[in-house]
Amino acid sequence: MSAIALPSRPPLELSVTTAPLATADVDVIAVGAFASGGDDNDRRVELSDDAQAVAQAMDLDLASELLTMTFDGTVGSNVVIPTRGALRAAAVVVVGLGRLAAATPAQLRRACATMVGVIPRHQRVATGIHTSLRDTPVTEAAQAVIEGVVLGTYRYQQFHTKPKPVDVRALALHGSSEAASIEAVVPTALAAADAACLVRDLVNTPPQAKRPPQFAQFAEQVVADLAVDVRILDEQALEDGGYGGILGVGQGSSAPPRLVELRYRPSGAAQHVAFVGKGITFDSGGLSLKPSASMETMKCDMAGAATMLAVIRAAAQLKLPVEITCLLALAENMPSGSATRVSDVLTMYDGTTVEVLNTDAEGRLVLADAIAHACELSPDVIVDAATLTGAAVVALGDRYSVVIANDDELANRFVALGARSGEPMWQLPLAKGEYGDRVEGTFADLKNVGNRAAGTIFGALFLERFVQDGVRWAHLDIAGPAYADEPYGEYTKGGTGIPARTLLAWLGDVARP
């Protein structure tokens, strides 16, 4: 069985210079402008400093020019203006950044991703937009610009017979006196964007190409040149080890399940973080079969595992001083004569017994084994990510992830970082005192589903039973934003890469003394 083949894309060529933006020898110059009108019918704009300088070099009243167009300065609005030989660049793209007082790095990232769509392909782009946000450190703004361009350029074309070329091949950041500081943040920005793109690639890969053995093989290959140790538990090792949850979910498939353990152990690490990812490579619902329409996006049910793999890879590339154990619980949930039946009882890795009342509530079963495994390694913090519950989508829609934790400070940090990364999260309560007894089973220790009430919280309460006392733990239910049905902002249709960049930002915090 061959390993996953991902599309090959040229890396973004990136440079940083203090030279004035108007002097850039590129194909396209991108400048920013803010909405300044009083209401929706007032389309006045305020030019950023870089836009004013470029307009002056062109001898152009740019603000008046924009009033004659449909440009209003809102986030994502843009217009292309030919330079007619006034500059070395052939065109200037004016990008809307929203209202100046409310502009954020997340808006800047989104604006730059949208900008990519109007730039002719195979172009070299220069910009000074990262100097536009007055209350934002220029390094943070520069990271948002870089991420926006990379994410906006992303296309999954592995199975297209005539793939389109990339939109932007080179990006130059001009005009800031803090060029050295910006250069220092470039590796982090590129690693974060690349991590999100890796998640997108894996989610978008069709399910026949990423069954558990293939996924496990790819995980080993993708970190082969890094200081990451890999151990793959096949079906026999899972049987010998008593991983009843992973085996129970995967036993209906002709492709056996896997548990992949990746360990990154840099010297001097003060913290040990365990990442656990749900890796259901395709979810038919098992014998509790989903309707056909509900299966159409179920190739994304391994987004949690893809996220954790991408994050440990990025952390090792950046040589972050944090010990990381990453556990990918991989199974294919299929109906067959050997599949787990409704009312079967599974014995989990830690000895807990679970009555399976719905085989479509399978993610919590594989995660429970992996969380129990993680606890044996004595981590300081466990974070799991999973497309776990449809209830999360009902509660928060398709743009927000749910975070539920046994530590409010940990949950609050994820909420704050998610907002900054453009990967919003919202905390729901664990509600152990109010709902904790609902996971108690009748014919086994636990049951895997309750009634429809508080379904997302029920899933978290089930997982919490496998977290050892004293271990900080956060559960990220990414069922809504892991997959986009339609493009928006910096996200194309398909896998979004959420929340890889937030997790990498959190690791950066953990790494700081």
Side-chain angles (χ1 to χ4, degrees):
M1 192 174 287
S2 60
I4 297 169
L6 296 182
S8 176
R9 284 180 291 271
L12 179 70
E13 298 174 18
L14 209 147
S15 59
V16 180
T17 176
T18 58
L21 181 59
T23 66
D25 185 10
V26 293
D27 301 297
V28 177
I29 289 176
V31 298
F34 299 93
S36 62
D39 55 45
D40 291 342
N41 296 319
D42 185 354
R43 293 190 292 104
R44 285 177 296 170
V45 298
E46 179 180 348
L47 300 180
S48 62
D49 292 344
D50 61 298
Q52 292 180 36
V54 168
Q56 184 176 2
M58 293 175 64
D59 194 22
L60 175 69
D61 185 351
L62 184 57
S64 297
E65 190 87 6
L66 293 173
L67 283 176
T68 67
M69 304 177 182
T70 58
F71 182 84
D72 60 6
T74 55
V75 177
S77 60
N78 49 69
V79 64
V80 180
I81 299 174
T83 64
R84 296 183 174 88
L87 303 176
R88 292 180 179 178
V92 171
V93 177
V94 185
V95 181
L97 302 177
R99 292 194 174 274
L100 178 57
T104 65
Q107 290 177 330
L108 183 59
R109 183 183 299 106
R110 181 155 298 185
C112 289
T114 306
M115 167 195 76
V116 168
V118 302
I119 295 175
R121 289 182 174 86
H122 273 301
Q123 298 297 296
R124 297 166 299 138
V125 179
T127 187
I129 294 178
H130 54 290
T131 64
S132 301
L133 306 189
R134 297 171 185 170
D135 297 325
T136 300
V138 70
T139 51
E140 187 175 341
Q143 178 165 348
V145 170
I146 295 167
E147 290 178 0
V149 169
V150 175
L151 296 175
T153 303
Y154 176 87
R155 304 287 184 275
Y156 183 80
Q157 303 183 97
Q158 182 70 7
F159 293 90
H160 283 260
T161 56
K162 296 180 180 179
K164 297 177 180 178
V166 296
D167 298 291
V168 176
R169 74 166 190 257
L171 176 67
L173 302 182
H174 278 250
S176 173
S177 60
E178 299 182 44
S181 297
I182 294 172
E183 286 179 345
V185 84
V186 164
T188 299
L190 290 176
D194 184 59
C197 289
L198 175 59
V199 178
R200 293 178 177 187
D201 283 340
L202 287 168
V203 169
N204 293 334
T205 297
Q208 84 266 28
K210 60 182 179 188
R211 303 180 84 186
Q214 292 164 296
F215 197 121
Q217 184 181 357
F218 175 77
E220 185 173 33
Q221 289 182 355
V222 82
V223 298
D225 59 344
L226 299 169
V228 177
D229 298 320
V230 182
R231 182 165 69 110
I232 298 174
L233 279 66
D234 63 13
E235 64 270 32
Q236 187 59 56
L238 293 170
E239 179 72 33
D240 294 343
Y243 295 85
I246 298 174
L247 287 167
V249 173
Q251 70 187 40
S253 171
S254 60
R258 296 287 187 267
L259 179 65
V260 181
E261 179 189 274
L262 304 102
R263 302 203 69 179
Y264 167 64
R265 290 177 276 192
S267 60
Q271 291 282 310
H272 178 196
V273 173
F275 285 140
V276 178
K278 172 187 172 183
I280 304 300
T281 60
F282 184 76
D283 183 17
S284 70
L287 292 182
S288 302
L289 196 66
K290 295 177 183 287
S292 181
S294 298
M295 291 189 213
E296 289 178 5
T297 59
M298 282 302 99
K299 67 178 182 180
C300 86
D301 214 19
M302 34 56 66
T307 297
M308 296 320 197
L309 173 61
V311 172
I312 192 173
R313 175 175 177 252
Q317 288 172 333
L318 294 170
K319 299 181 180 179
L320 295 182
V322 182
E323 182 179 351
I324 303 170
T325 298
C326 179
L327 293 164
L328 314 179
L330 308 177
E332 187 176 54
N333 188 23
M334 300 292 283
S336 74
S338 62
T340 292
R341 294 160 288 265
V342 174
S343 76
D344 275 356
V345 173
L346 304 178
T347 301
M348 313 301 281
Y349 178 67
D350 70 346
T352 301
T353 57
V354 177
E355 186 178 10
V356 180
L357 298 182
N358 189 318
T359 64
D360 196 22
E362 83 297 329
R364 62 203 66 182
L365 300 175
V366 301
L367 286 174
D369 274 353
I371 288 171
H373 178 119
C375 286
E376 290 187 340
L377 303 176
S378 302
D380 298 293
V381 185
I382 295 175
V383 181
D384 75 74
T387 48
L388 201 72
T389 65
V393 185
V394 174
L396 298 180
D398 59 0
R399 303 290 173 90
Y400 275 78
S401 298
V402 172
V403 55
I404 298 177
N406 63 7
D407 182 298
D408 283 340
E409 182 181 352
L410 183 60
N412 291 338
R413 191 59 190 148
F414 276 119
V415 170
L417 289 171
R420 196 174 79 187
S421 299
E423 300 179 333
M425 300 184 181
W426 196 259
Q427 183 182 7
L428 292 183
L430 184 59
K432 190 173 181 179
E434 293 80 5
Y435 302 142
D437 60 349
R438 296 188 181 185
V439 303
E440 300 290 342
T442 301
F443 301 104
D445 298 331
L446 304 176
K447 57 187 178 184
N448 76 325
V449 293
N451 57 31
R452 292 178 62 86
T456 298
I457 294 173
F458 183 100
L461 284 167
F462 181 91
L463 297 178
E464 189 269 342
R465 291 297 188 97
F466 298 88
V467 179
Q468 287 184 356
D469 290 342
V471 178
R472 299 170 72 209
W473 162 74
H475 163 61
L476 307 181
D477 192 332
I478 60 174
Y483 193 93
D485 291 324
E486 297 295 338
Y488 68 95
E490 61 265 51
Y491 303 110
T492 57
K493 182 175 181 177
T496 62
I498 293 173
R501 291 181 294 108
T502 298
L503 285 167
L504 195 57
W506 177 73
L507 281 178
D509 278 359
V510 172
R512 296 185 188 96

